[in-house]
Amino acid sequence: MPIPLVLTGYGNVGKSFVRLLAEKHEDCRTRYGLEFDLAAIVRKSGSWIADRIGSFFSLTGPSPQVLESLPDWLPGRSLSRVFDHFDRLGKRGALIECTPSNWRTGEPQLQFLHEAFDRGWHVAAASKGALVVDFKNLRDKALSKELALKFSGATAAALPTLDVATVSLAGARILGFEGILTGTTNYILTRLEQGLTFAEALEEAQAKGIAEPDPSMDIDGWDTACKLLLLANASVGTKFTIKDIPVEGIRKVNARMIQDARASGNSLKLLGWLSEVAGVYRGEVGLVPVPPSHPLYRLTGTSKGIVFRTDTMGQVAVTDGKSDPRATAAALLKDIINIFRRH
Amino acid sequence: MPIPLVLTGYGNVGKSFVRLLAEKHEDCRTRYGLEFDLAAIVRKSGSWIADRIGSFFSLTGPSPQVLESLPDWLPGRSLSRVFDHFDRLGKRGALIECTPSNWRTGEPQLQFLHEAFDRGWHVAAASKGALVVDFKNLRDKALSKELALKFSGATAAALPTLDVATVSLAGARILGFEGILTGTTNYILTRLEQGLTFAEALEEAQAKGIAEPDPSMDIDGWDTACKLLLLANASVGTKFTIKDIPVEGIRKVNARMIQDARASGNSLKLLGWLSEVAGVYRGEVGLVPVPPSHPLYRLTGTSKGIVFRTDTMGQVAVTDGKSDPRATAAALLKDIINIFRRH
């Protein structure tokens, strides 16, 4: 029995996910005994429900079809209608959430995730908004219904931050962690080290599609703060909201600051970190001179990484991992494989 | 209902596991909703079956009791008798395998693992022998019975090599990997870089308990080869036996070789690697000059690490992680949490 997947959002990540699923469909069956079927897509302009198993291949074939021109296209976004359809068929599966979400309100993702759990569907999310805003309620709801809430794609894509924190370090106490969690800021800092001014580095990053047209989410440190919040809340049970995290960005970085770090043999990085002070966890985002012996020192350009400190396993570092739409799609695929696979 | 655990082997790792379980018992319950009960220990000299839930705490309390002096001690090793006991109670759980095993014959571990699966028990193993000798049959048996076969403790302890390969990279195709998988050889190479002779470095490693009295398993590269074999067979489905892997050790390393690597800015490391040549995976162990930009370059002393290359997620590196008996016990605990936890 194929496992139905419902995709919300059909931008770069959503489209990459559809292509990747078509490419890896057979592989999932042979390697994991899992057959996934993309059974519906919901976007702002409307919804598509597949008329038969495997219909989604027509979206990626040699003459890919436009969603809006498919016979089953229904104008008007309605995830409820899609879930109703599968309820009538007695089918449940996983929601693949790729809608751009507002990290102040969490919408529209927040509504999607609550509805998925209310309807008995697992969730793999690539966007952060709803999780940043309402992590505790979402996780409690998922737990109470024995449903999975995975969000590798929202916490550094192919860099397995969330897996390592929750699976590889299961049973260990995380004493703290520190990470380069945003590729854009690391790229700009690398270019500053190479002699560019901040304005030049930012412009270059935007020209290359590394920085957004409005880069403030990244360069003011909020993207790092959101990922730090999610990783901490998911791994050590903090109840951080974004207001609990002091955040410093990279706008003020100048040649002098870069040189000062260099003069001591260090490299200036924007880190998000969790530490324990007087028995209480604190999260913070800021500029830190990182010494050469540290696992994050060598990470230049858009590379990311995180170092966990634990009570029983010592320090565990995980670095690199791509962060393009295909890698984010791969993180979503990984999450659903891990939700449904047996040992 | 507590989940019964049967421990085979009661050396440094086995004892560390008992202590760690006592320490983390409550934490497992509150964080994961899992209550583990160490219900039996089987060692060469005999077996102990707990008379009541939580009896194992008496092995770790302020006046820890000697296994052989406990009222329920039965001379003569018999795992079958232990499984018979739990069969009568209608209980099944996990075997925690910590017996030193021969990596040429796999015994006595091989017999233990087959029996565990035959009796419907999951397995978390810290020793490599049986897995190196008979991985395919063991895994097929586990899969056919929907039982877990985990062995994080046998593949670099707290360094999450196996988790990253099978969980974090699920769905990705591993194109190859390379790792520093043996702390002992890396320690000796580091000391050679610092000017010691091979004999001095080996003697020091032995004095510190880093190298075994008979160090050949490590310094001739076999420990690395065994871990490489297990990681490859588990992650990409190769059917390597130890004979398929060309192995070079570090005995022949001299000051000249170290200096030659240094002169090019590199550091000489003993790596185990998997690569794909003409569509076929090859495993190999040997000395490689590693450049500073590589994630394994900075790993000195007993530190370990591995770098995976994938089709969809790029390069993912995981490094560090302790490798003492407590860390190996932590890897076992992690494995059983991941076997039994819900999402």
Side-chain angles (χ1 to χ4, degrees):
Chain A
M1 271 292 281
I3 297 164
L5 304 177
V6 171
L7 173 67
T8 43
Y10 198 59
N12 285 338
V13 172
K15 283 174 185 158
S16 292
F17 179 78
V18 178
R19 279 193 295 272
L20 186 69
L21 188 66
E23 185 186 327
K24 297 277 188 179
H25 185 260
E26 191 51 34
D27 190 46
C28 286
R29 189 151 57 181
T30 54
R31 283 170 72 189
Y32 305 102
L34 296 173
E35 185 171 356
F36 295 115
D37 186 44
L38 184 68
I41 299 175
V42 177
R43 61 187 315 198
K44 208 170 181 181
S45 56
S47 312
W48 167 75
I49 298 178
D51 59 347
R52 57 183 167 74
I53 290 169
S55 294
F56 78 94
F57 283 105
S58 67
L59 300 171
T60 61
S63 323
Q65 297 186 46
V66 176
L67 210 54
E68 283 76 1
S69 69
L70 289 171
D72 301 291
W73 178 256
L74 296 169
R77 171 161 68 193
S78 175
L79 183 59
S80 306
R81 196 162 50 188
V82 169
F83 283 140
D84 286 344
H85 171 79
F86 290 104
D87 271 352
R88 283 192 296 271
L89 299 174
K91 287 184 176 178
R92 286 171 183 180
L95 176 71
I96 310 297
E97 217 300 303
C98 302
T99 315
S101 64
N102 182 305
W103 64 281
R104 298 279 188 192
T105 67
E107 294 298 354
Q109 192 195 18
L110 186 56
Q111 195 179 322
F112 293 166
L113 299 196
H114 277 290
E115 182 156 12
F117 292 139
D118 290 338
R119 299 295 196 105
W121 287 61
H122 301 285
V123 168
S127 49
K128 286 183 283 293
L131 299 163
V132 169
V133 170
D134 200 28
F135 184 77
K136 191 181 177 308
N137 287 326
L138 286 165
R139 185 154 79 167
D140 288 350
K141 190 180 275 193
L143 282 174
S144 74
K145 293 171 175 273
E146 298 194 350
L147 294 167
L149 169 57
K150 300 262 189 188
F151 46 93
S152 297
T155 45
L159 178 74
T161 55
L162 184 68
D163 291 336
V164 170
T166 60
V167 178
S168 299
L169 304 180
R173 178 167 157 73
I174 293 175
L175 308 172
F177 62 71
E178 57 226 11
I180 296 174
L181 300 173
T182 305
T184 310
T185 44
N186 205 52
Y187 180 86
I188 292 172
L189 289 171
T190 299
R191 296 299 279 148
L192 294 180
E193 283 192 342
Q194 291 164 351
L196 267 63
T197 66
F198 184 81
E200 287 165 351
L202 175 58
E203 196 180 338
E204 181 184 275
Q206 287 175 318
K208 288 189 170 187
I210 293 167
E212 303 281 328
D214 173 3
S216 56
M217 174 84 187
D218 285 337
I219 66 176
D220 292 329
W222 298 110
D223 179 74
T224 298
C226 288
K227 288 171 182 161
L228 158 61
L229 177 155
L230 289 180
L231 289 171
N233 288 1
S235 65
V236 301
T238 46
K239 289 165 190 161
F240 290 151
T241 66
I242 199 73
K243 289 175 187 160
D244 298 320
I245 301 174
V247 177
E248 177 186 43
I250 64 166
R251 276 189 211 266
K252 65 168 191 189
V253 177
N254 55 38
R256 178 63 184 272
M257 293 165 71
I258 296 284
Q259 282 153 17
D260 283 352
R262 266 291 164 84
S264 320
N266 300 322
S267 176
L268 196 66
K269 306 284 191 193
L270 185 76
L271 302 185
W273 67 89
L274 179 79
S275 56
E276 211 175 359
V277 181
V280 179
Y281 283 114
R282 295 159 60 102
E284 198 166 340
V285 175
L287 288 155
V288 177
V290 173
S293 59
H294 193 278
L296 303 180
Y297 175 84
R298 55 165 274 280
L299 296 173
T300 56
T302 57
S303 299
K304 299 192 288 287
I306 189 165
V307 182
F308 297 93
R309 291 182 303 284
T310 72
D311 61 342
T312 52
M313 296 187 176
Q315 163 180 298
V316 173
V318 52
T319 58
D320 308 76
K322 274 195 183 172
S323 46
D324 56 17
R326 184 171 156 87
T328 307
L332 288 163
L333 182 65
K334 162 185 72 171
D335 279 351
I336 56 169
I337 290 169
N338 289 327
I339 291 171
F340 291 101
R341 77 198 298 185
R342 298 208 166 241
H343 306 298
Chain B
M1 271 292 281
I3 297 164
L5 304 178
V6 171
L7 173 67
T8 41
Y10 198 59
N12 285 337
V13 172
K15 283 174 185 160
S16 292
F17 180 78
V18 179
R19 279 193 294 272
L20 185 69
L21 188 66
E23 185 187 327
K24 297 278 187 178
H25 185 259
E26 191 51 34
D27 190 47
C28 287
R29 190 151 55 181
T30 53
R31 284 170 72 189
Y32 306 102
L34 297 173
E35 185 171 356
F36 295 115
D37 186 45
L38 185 68
I41 300 175
V42 177
R43 62 187 314 197
K44 207 168 180 181
S45 56
S47 312
W48 167 75
I49 297 177
D51 58 347
R52 57 184 166 72
I53 289 170
S55 295
F56 78 93
F57 283 105
S58 67
L59 300 171
T60 62
S63 321
Q65 296 186 45
V66 175
L67 210 54
E68 283 75 1
S69 69
L70 288 172
D72 301 290
W73 178 256
L74 296 169
R77 171 161 69 191
S78 175
L79 183 59
S80 307
R81 196 161 50 187
V82 169
F83 283 139
D84 285 345
H85 171 79
F86 291 104
D87 270 352
R88 283 192 295 271
L89 299 175
K91 287 183 177 179
R92 286 172 182 179
L95 176 71
I96 310 297
E97 217 301 303
C98 303
T99 315
S101 65
N102 182 305
W103 63 281
R104 298 280 186 190
T105 67
E107 294 300 354
Q109 193 195 18
L110 186 56
Q111 194 180 323
F112 293 166
L113 299 197
H114 276 290
E115 181 155 13
F117 292 139
D118 290 338
R119 299 296 195 105
W121 288 60
H122 300 285
V123 168
S127 49
K128 285 183 284 294
L131 299 163
V132 169
V133 170
D134 200 30
F135 183 77
K136 191 181 176 306
N137 286 326
L138 287 165
R139 184 152 82 165
D140 287 351
K141 190 181 275 196
L143 282 174
S144 74
K145 294 172 174 271
E146 298 193 349
L147 294 167
L149 168 57
K150 300 263 190 189
F151 46 93
S152 296
T155 45
L159 178 74
T161 54
L162 185 68
D163 291 336
V164 170
T166 60
V167 177
S168 299
L169 304 180
R173 178 167 158 73
I174 293 175
L175 307 172
F177 62 71
E178 56 227 12
I180 295 174
L181 299 174
T182 305
T184 309
T185 44
N186 205 52
Y187 179 87
I188 292 172
L189 289 172
T190 299
R191 296 298 280 149
L192 294 180
E193 283 192 341
Q194 291 164 352
L196 268 62
T197 65
F198 184 82
E200 287 165 350
L202 175 59
E203 197 180 337
E204 181 185 273
Q206 286 174 320
K208 289 189 169 188
I210 294 167
E212 303 282 328
D214 174 2
S216 57
M217 174 83 187
D218 285 337
I219 66 177
D220 292 330
W222 298 110
D223 180 73
T224 297
C226 288
K227 288 172 181 162
L228 158 61
L229 176 155
L230 289 180
L231 289 172
N233 288 1
S235 65
V236 302
T238 46
K239 289 165 191 162
F240 290 152
T241 66
I242 199 72
K243 289 176 188 159
D244 298 319
I245 301 175
V247 177
E248 176 186 45
I250 64 166
R251 275 188 211 267
K252 65 169 191 188
V253 177
N254 55 37
R256 178 62 184 272
M257 292 165 72
I258 296 283
Q259 281 154 17
D260 283 352
R262 266 290 164 84
S264 321
N266 300 323
S267 176
L268 196 66
K269 307 284 191 192
L270 186 75
L271 302 185
W273 68 88
L274 179 79
S275 56
E276 212 176 358
V277 180
V280 179
Y281 283 115
R282 293 160 61 101
E284 198 165 340
V285 175
L287 289 155
V288 177
V290 174
S293 59
H294 193 276
L296 303 180
Y297 175 84
R298 56 166 272 282
L299 296 173
T300 56
T302 57
S303 299
K304 298 192 287 287
I306 189 165
V307 182
F308 297 93
R309 291 182 304 283
T310 71
D311 61 342
T312 53
M313 297 187 175
Q315 163 180 298
V316 172
V318 54
T319 60
D320 308 75
K322 273 195 182 172
S323 46
D324 55 17
R326 183 170 155 88
T328 306
L332 288 164
L333 182 65
K334 162 185 74 170
D335 279 351
I336 56 169
I337 290 169
N338 289 327
I339 291 171
F340 291 101
R341 78 198 297 186
R342 298 210 166 240
H343 305 299

